[in-house]
Amino acid sequence: MSAADTGRRTSRTGYLLLLPGLLWLVVFFLVPTIQLAATSLYDPSGSLDSGYAMTWSFSNYWDALSTFRAPFLRSLLYAAVATVLALVLAYPLAYAIAFKAGRWKNLMLVLVIAPFFTSFLVRTLAWKSILSDNGFVATTLQVLHILGPGGRLLATSVAVVTGLTYNFLPFMVLPLYASLEKIDLRLIEASSDLYADALTSFRKVTLPLSMPGLVAGTLLTFIPAAGDYINAELLGTPRQYMIGNVIDNLFLVQLDYPAAAACSVVLMAAIVVMVLVYVRRAGTEELV
Amino acid sequence: MPDLDRDPVPGHAGADLTLTSVTKRFGSFTAVDDLDLVVEQGRFFALLGPSGCGKTTTLRMVAGLEEPTRGTITIAGKDISRLKPYKRPVNTVFQSYALFPHLDIFENVAFGLRRRGVKDVAGQVGRMLELVELGGFGKRRPGQLSGGQQQRVALARALINRPQVLLLDEPLGALDLKLRRQMQIELKRIQTEVGITFVHVTHDQEEAMTMADTIAVMNHGVIEQLGSPGELYDSPATTFVSNFLGQSNLVKAEVVGRDAQDVLVDAHGSRLAAPAVRARRTSGTVWAGVRPEKVHLTGGAGGDGSAPGPGANHLTGGTVSDVSFIGVSTQYLVRMPWGQELTVFEQNSGARDSFRVGDRVDLRWTSEHTFLLDADQDAHAGDESYAALTEGAAT
Amino acid sequence: MSRVGRWVTEHAVMAVAMLVLVYMFLPIFYVVLMSFNDQGRLAYEFQGFTLANWEDPCGPSGMCGAVVKSLQIGFLATLGATLLGTLVAFALVRHRFRGRAATSLLIFLPMATPEVVMGSSLLALFTSVGLSGSLGFWSILVAHIMFCLSFVVVTVKARLAGLDSAMEQAAMDLYANEWQTFWRITFPLVFPGIMAAALLSFSLSFDDFIVTNFNHGNTVTFPMYVWGAAQRGIPPQVNVVGTVMFILALALVLGGSLLQRRRPA
């Protein structure tokens, strides 16, 4: 019939619209990712010049995990700490923009994004100046005896986590703001009417309603933070190296593709598992 | 009450909108089922029914926004069933108005004219904005207008194209009660002024009765009854219509005979008469119906000598179970000996003291106000407050 | 208690929010400050004020070339990703097709994949087909379009999904054919979303280091230049570029929002 006719017509247009974009993603994202998984099982004794043989070497994973256990765990730990810190910083900011900013709302939103218009690397290098041994932060902390004399900020875990927290903060603020902004203010008023206590009404009403933004923000912060290596490289030392540094080094310097691929796959797998567990625990299926 | 026999706009006779066996299915759901309908040129026609009854789907098929699964739609004899929306001599006032937010009021109203390459856009738009009393608003944006003003813009934007049929999809639904009343009168005025056929979809029976000169009551994809507001109200064809348009008391009765003009029935021992023209069924079990405001209460306890004369119906032995004072009227619930509660509206004319809960009363009304319906039909069909109640109990 | 609670939410939240904003701007302040640094040997500490860096922004060899390269790639990647992504977004919102779930997953995955994985796997692909020797401008562009695409789809899709389909129906009802309806109604109404997606793409592309680092061949973008310079000590002109970028972007966004305030979309 005619109705089915129009359905077919529209879907043909649909496929045409999808085709170029999806093709691009398949060729330049999906295929390489699958190939990466395959590479991780190649014979590790091969080389770029001699070529690799597919030997289903699952031992690559074991080798990667045992050799690079420390940077792996460090990546997850740093990313987790940075995510929690970002949440602690972002929530009041997002809350203030959504509910307290009034007519300054748009301006404040612009201010949140504005710092990130400068290059990622330039910003991270600025942190290098801020945290430098003679910088005001280190000096102040020394005066307050929080930092021992001769104690450093730069080239420590603190510096790397600070950089990570800073660099991915907007990814936390914006989704949080988006879900807070949707909350009907009357709900909060109604709850303060019922519970009277601001803290309780926050815990019982605002926080649960902002859950989708919180989950999205946490993921958007954690994922890039776990894979980052710029902060560790610029603000840390090899003792702070994360798995990203390892992958980068294996791929570009040592040209050990199977080991590098195995590390990449493990990183991906760890992230996917954590995301799934987290999403289930947080009780939301909304990813984007 | 509009004069039903007034001539359609002269010179346009035959430019009727006709739907012939129109069916629309969405998957396995039949939204509109084998619908036949003729809307005469120049009418203010209302499609009335609860949500999901198929009225909006019918409208959208006329507009070309849905394609009928089967059947044909013609205007002035020309088959338009498969034409694209922009090829039809039909314009629509959308429920949400659908004003273009990026264009100003002038450009919104001019949109149709510009697409058709009409000359003198400015003059026509100006006159149309005057007609809907929005002269001087041309440079504003839709977002800067109130709901009522947006509604007028939507109307002007459709009317300016002089369509053969103007479709209105719940156009007043988003307005508050007072504004809605005002716009009802306004719409009626404009329709009379331009003489274009209006097909108006609504779920508000009062709105339909105020404005339309012909109403089609729809339910489950079919037209239950079509007629003037007066016909539908005084002589409903189904329990659905009797409940959806106003309120009705429906009492179970058996047909026992007939005389010259009336069908005679027995309702729980009382003899009632109903005009044969208002009897949808003339044998077996029926619903004997009467509107609450047609009924008068008299002090009961076995009659007081005012025995029913000829042409009067009488139900005795009621007890007042609830009294609500509404202002112009008082609304009684009367429990009958067989357990049913009947509703009676009495004018507060001051001629008599009102009854109180527990008073014994009899009900009487002129027999010509009685109608008989098929007893196979659900007595609560179309009764929205009853549906809400039972639904609430079910969940 | 409730009054205390109210006072706390009234003022303390705003105060904390301001402190967080200060934290966010701290590096920007340093970038601006360091752009006036009369730099000696120690690259990361302020030595004294000078305008010399601003008077000679292209002083360090190769830096301005890298900026131009980044602008070119950013512009082309934005164009490509916005075009392809917008088409996909339209298909997702407006059309029925098989494999919707798989499509959504394919679009979501690049956003959930660490850049280091994306960059390295793409390099492995190019290597395996024998292109590792000719990597450069084109491979950076290919990679940037890839990772910008998903963000464009998500941004445009959100805008499109918020568009009332009654708008288009009204246009068709008012004698606009499909083509006119698209260009006069749909496109103008979705345009802010497309613009936002384009801006996002440009900033993602212009700023990308990790993916580029794997696929750049001998082509040097601005982030690549900064990375290389960081090993030796960055020239203060890098901070001049950072400051200019900040001011330009801020002006663009503020200008855009002012424009939008005058014409509410």
Side-chain angles (χ1 to χ4, degrees):
Chain A
M1 271 316 294
S2 47
D5 242 16
T6 48
R8 257 209 307 279
R9 230 184 3 250
T10 53
S11 65
R12 200 175 305 139
T13 323
Y15 289 122
L16 281 176
L17 293 175
L18 282 175
L19 191 71
L22 290 194
L23 209 60
W24 200 278
L25 286 182
V26 166
V27 174
F28 299 117
F29 173 75
L30 195 61
V31 169
T33 307
I34 293 168
Q35 197 199 341
L36 182 79
T39 307
S40 70
L41 298 171
Y42 285 169
D43 180 2
S45 60
S47 76
L48 262 187
D49 300 323
S50 61
Y52 290 104
M54 178 49 128
T55 51
W56 299 98
S57 313
F58 282 97
S59 59
N60 288 346
Y61 282 94
W62 182 242
D63 293 344
L65 275 175
S66 53
T67 316
F68 306 114
R69 202 166 62 103
F72 255 121
L73 294 179
R74 210 177 284 131
S75 288
L76 299 181
L77 181 68
Y78 284 0
V81 174
T83 305
V84 171
L85 286 176
L87 179 61
V88 169
L89 293 175
Y91 208 105
L93 181 56
Y95 187 93
I97 299 174
F99 297 127
K100 306 285 171 200
R103 59 204 197 87
W104 302 109
K105 190 183 266 190
N106 283 333
L107 182 68
M108 278 184 83
L109 274 177
V110 171
L111 291 182
V112 167
I113 326 169
F116 298 85
F117 293 144
T118 356
S119 163
F120 185 96
L121 288 171
V122 175
R123 265 180 287 134
T124 310
L125 288 170
W127 276 107
K128 199 167 180 168
S129 302
I130 297 168
L131 299 174
S132 65
D133 295 342
N134 299 319
F136 81 96
V137 181
T139 327
T140 311
L141 290 178
Q142 277 166 348
V143 169
L144 293 172
H145 292 286
I146 295 171
L147 206 63
R152 304 190 67 188
L153 285 173
L154 199 62
T156 65
S157 312
V158 175
V160 178
V161 171
T162 306
L164 287 172
T165 308
Y166 177 80
N167 275 316
F168 302 110
L169 197 54
F171 295 111
M172 185 67 91
V173 177
L174 295 179
L176 267 180
Y177 163 76
S179 71
L180 280 170
E181 205 238 354
K182 277 189 219 145
I183 298 178
D184 190 342
L185 262 182
R186 283 171 303 176
L187 283 179
I188 299 175
E189 278 163 20
S191 87
S192 35
D193 191 41
L194 294 169
Y195 296 106
D197 175 346
L199 202 64
T200 316
S201 76
F202 172 77
R203 209 159 47 81
K204 297 271 186 191
V205 180
T206 316
L207 191 60
L209 285 174
S210 64
M211 228 29 210
L214 200 151
V215 171
T218 313
L219 294 179
L220 288 174
T221 310
F222 181 83
I223 294 169
D228 181 77
Y229 61 88
I230 296 176
N231 287 281
E233 178 78 37
L234 295 182
L235 303 175
T237 66
R239 275 180 295 130
Q240 279 78 41
Y241 271 5
M242 297 166 70
I243 195 61
N245 303 80
V246 172
I247 297 174
D248 181 63
N249 186 15
L250 285 173
F251 255 113
L252 295 177
V253 181
Q254 311 204 9
L255 302 178
D256 185 351
Y257 276 27
C263 286
S264 292
V265 171
V266 172
L267 175 63
M268 273 287 272
I271 286 174
V272 167
V273 168
M274 290 184 74
V275 166
L276 286 181
V277 169
Y278 177 68
V279 168
R280 185 144 310 161
R281 286 283 295 278
T284 170
E285 299 294 316
E286 258 179 83
L287 278 174
V288 187
Chain B
M1 198 90 339
D3 179 7
L4 285 178
D5 292 324
R6 99 192 148 128
D7 284 329
V9 178
H12 286 73
D16 299 348
L17 165 67
T18 312
L19 283 75
T20 314
S21 357
V22 169
T23 298
K24 177 67 185 179
R25 289 198 194 90
F26 297 103
S28 61
F29 175 71
T30 305
V32 176
D33 194 2
D34 200 27
L35 190 85
D36 288 304
L37 181 65
V38 177
V39 180
E40 286 170 40
Q41 158 74 34
R43 285 292 155 120
F44 199 129
F45 187 94
L47 272 173
L48 173 67
S51 59
C53 72
K55 56 189 193 301
T56 296
T57 306
T58 306
L59 191 87
R60 290 171 63 84
M61 285 191 286
V62 176
L65 302 172
E66 305 280 357
E67 208 173 324
T69 312
R70 206 152 41 75
T72 52
I73 301 169
T74 64
I75 291 179
K78 185 172 176 261
D79 186 350
I80 59 158
S81 345
R82 301 288 183 273
L83 287 185
K84 296 275 189 189
Y86 49 85
K87 298 234 164 100
R88 300 184 183 212
V90 168
N91 291 108
T92 310
V93 176
F94 286 81
Q95 183 167 16
S96 53
Y97 314 139
L99 299 181
F100 306 131
H102 60 302
L103 302 178
D104 62 19
I105 301 308
F106 182 94
E107 285 304 325
N108 262 280
V109 176
F111 193 89
L113 297 182
R114 293 212 193 277
R115 297 290 81 71
R116 290 183 302 150
V118 171
K119 300 241 163 40
D120 182 31
V121 170
Q124 285 198 47
V125 172
R127 280 193 295 280
M128 187 50 70
L129 286 176
E130 290 299 333
L131 179 74
V132 297
E133 291 165 0
L134 282 175
F137 282 71
K139 285 284 154 245
R140 305 234 190 145
R141 299 221 167 224
Q144 299 166 310
L145 264 54
S146 73
Q149 290 169 332
Q150 291 187 27
Q151 210 281 331
R152 287 166 210 247
V153 176
L155 184 66
R157 188 177 72 170
L159 267 183
I160 197 168
N161 304 294
R162 301 253 143 206
Q164 286 178 344
V165 179
L166 183 80
L167 306 172
L168 302 105
D169 183 7
E170 303 264 11
L172 309 179
L175 304 179
D176 64 44
L177 189 66
K178 201 168 159 229
L179 202 52
R180 202 150 65 212
R181 289 266 175 285
Q182 223 176 312
M183 282 306 297
Q184 285 173 5
I185 297 163
E186 187 95 337
L187 270 178
K188 187 76 199 159
R189 169 183 75 80
I190 290 170
Q191 196 265 340
T192 317
E193 224 170 291
V194 297
I196 289 172
T197 312
F198 276 33
V199 178
H200 176 205
V201 155
T202 180
H203 67 273
D204 181 340
Q205 44 109 1
E206 216 173 287
E207 190 175 298
M209 290 203 278
T210 317
M211 290 193 284
D213 36 45
T214 312
I215 299 176
V217 180
M218 278 191 82
N219 190 29
H220 296 307
V222 298
I223 291 179
E224 294 252 340
Q225 191 175 2
L226 186 144
S228 71
E231 280 164 20
L232 297 189
Y233 192 79
D234 291 334
S235 188
T238 63
T239 56
F240 178 84
V241 176
S242 77
N243 290 319
F244 195 77
L245 245 77
Q247 269 177 275
S248 290
N249 293 302
L250 298 176
V251 178
K252 193 146 260 183
E254 291 291 331
V255 175
V256 293
R258 61 173 304 168
D259 64 16
Q261 298 106 32
D262 293 346
V263 176
L264 305 173
V265 300
D266 177 275
H268 302 280
S270 298
R271 179 64 55 93
L272 305 176
V277 291
R278 292 188 179 169
R280 301 292 164 169
R281 204 169 160 171
T282 53
S283 65
T285 311
V286 294
W287 293 115
V290 64
R291 297 290 185 179
E293 75 281 5
K294 299 292 196 309
V295 181
H296 299 285
L297 293 180
T298 55
D304 50 0
S306 60
N313 283 335
H314 209 182
L315 288 173
T316 57
T319 311
V320 175
S321 58
D322 187 69
V323 182
S324 320
F325 179 73
I326 310 287
V328 289
S329 68
T330 303
Q331 202 169 324
Y332 295 98
L333 283 182
V334 179
R335 182 168 293 281
M336 301 311 290
W338 55 92
Q340 189 180 3
E341 273 189 335
L342 300 181
T343 308
V344 178
F345 300 157
E346 289 235 307
Q347 286 282 316
N348 286 328
S349 57
R352 198 185 60 194
D353 286 344
S354 59
F355 295 95
R356 276 172 301 193
V357 173
D359 284 352
R360 306 273 291 169
V361 290
D362 294 341
L363 283 63
R364 72 165 65 192
W365 67 94
T366 318
S367 61
E368 66 170 296
H369 291 136
T370 316
F371 49 86
L372 302 181
L373 302 174
D374 189 340
D376 293 341
Q377 293 171 358
D378 176 9
H380 296 292
D383 183 343
E384 284 172 323
S385 57
Y386 182 80
L389 270 178
T390 48
E391 209 164 284
T395 46
Chain C
M1 176 61 213
S2 85
R3 284 186 58 187
V4 173
R6 201 161 298 154
W7 191 91
V8 166
T9 47
E10 273 319 312
H11 297 91
V13 174
M14 204 48 170
V16 173
M18 284 304 171
L19 284 177
V20 176
L21 274 182
V22 168
Y23 168 71
M24 293 176 95
F25 272 86
L26 193 58
I28 302 304
F29 173 75
Y30 259 80
V31 170
V32 177
L33 180 73
M34 297 304 266
S35 75
F36 296 105
N37 190 14
D38 190 0
Q39 191 167 304
R41 284 183 46 80
L42 282 167
Y44 300 109
E45 279 164 31
F46 195 69
Q47 312 276 307
F49 181 86
T50 179
L51 284 174
N53 310 322
W54 283 85
E55 284 160 358
D56 182 25
C58 286
S61 74
M63 193 190 77
C64 283
V67 171
V68 169
K69 202 61 87 185
S70 273
L71 287 173
Q72 288 169 341
I73 291 171
F75 177 74
L76 291 175
T78 300
L79 209 63
T82 307
L83 185 66
L84 298 183
T86 302
L87 296 183
V88 172
F90 266 91
L92 282 174
V93 179
R94 289 298 160 86
H95 294 277
R96 273 174 293 164
F97 54 87
R98 280 163 188 279
R100 175 173 290 271
T103 305
S104 299
L105 187 67
L106 182 60
I107 287 158
F108 170 72
L109 273 179
M111 294 189 290
T113 306
E115 277 192 84
V116 65
V117 175
M118 269 197 293
S120 59
S121 60
L122 200 54
L123 170 62
L125 176 83
F126 288 145
T127 308
S128 72
V129 294
L131 287 170
S132 61
S134 57
L135 295 181
F137 191 92
W138 70 270
S139 56
I140 301 174
L141 187 59
V142 159
H144 284 200
I145 291 177
M146 184 265 290
F147 68 70
C148 290
L149 224 164
S150 298
F151 288 96
V152 174
V153 174
V154 171
T155 313
V156 176
K157 197 179 135 201
R159 178 83 192 183
L160 198 53
L163 177 67
D164 187 356
S165 61
M167 294 293 164
E168 285 151 320
Q169 292 172 1
M172 299 258 269
D173 187 64
L174 294 166
Y175 312 102
N177 60 30
E178 288 86 350
W179 186 251
Q180 293 169 323
T181 301
F182 180 80
W183 286 113
R184 295 196 177 268
I185 303 300
T186 317
F187 187 75
L189 290 178
V190 179
F191 187 70
I194 296 176
M195 245 350 250
L199 280 176
L200 184 64
S201 291
F202 185 83
S203 65
L204 285 173
S205 165
F206 190 88
D207 203 20
D208 180 75
F209 169 73
I210 297 182
V211 174
T212 311
N213 187 32
F214 280 98
N215 297 290
H216 69 115
N218 293 321
T219 304
V220 177
T221 62
F222 179 64
M224 294 305 308
Y225 174 85
V226 176
W227 181 259
Q231 319 292 333
R232 313 182 289 271
I234 59 164
Q237 279 87 346
V238 163
N239 291 309
V240 173
V241 175
T243 307
V244 169
M245 274 168 70
F246 174 75
I247 291 168
L248 275 182
L250 195 63
L252 197 66
V253 171
L254 285 178
S257 69
L258 276 181
L259 211 70
Q260 216 161 23
R261 191 164 307 169
R262 272 201 297 129
R263 312 178 16 165

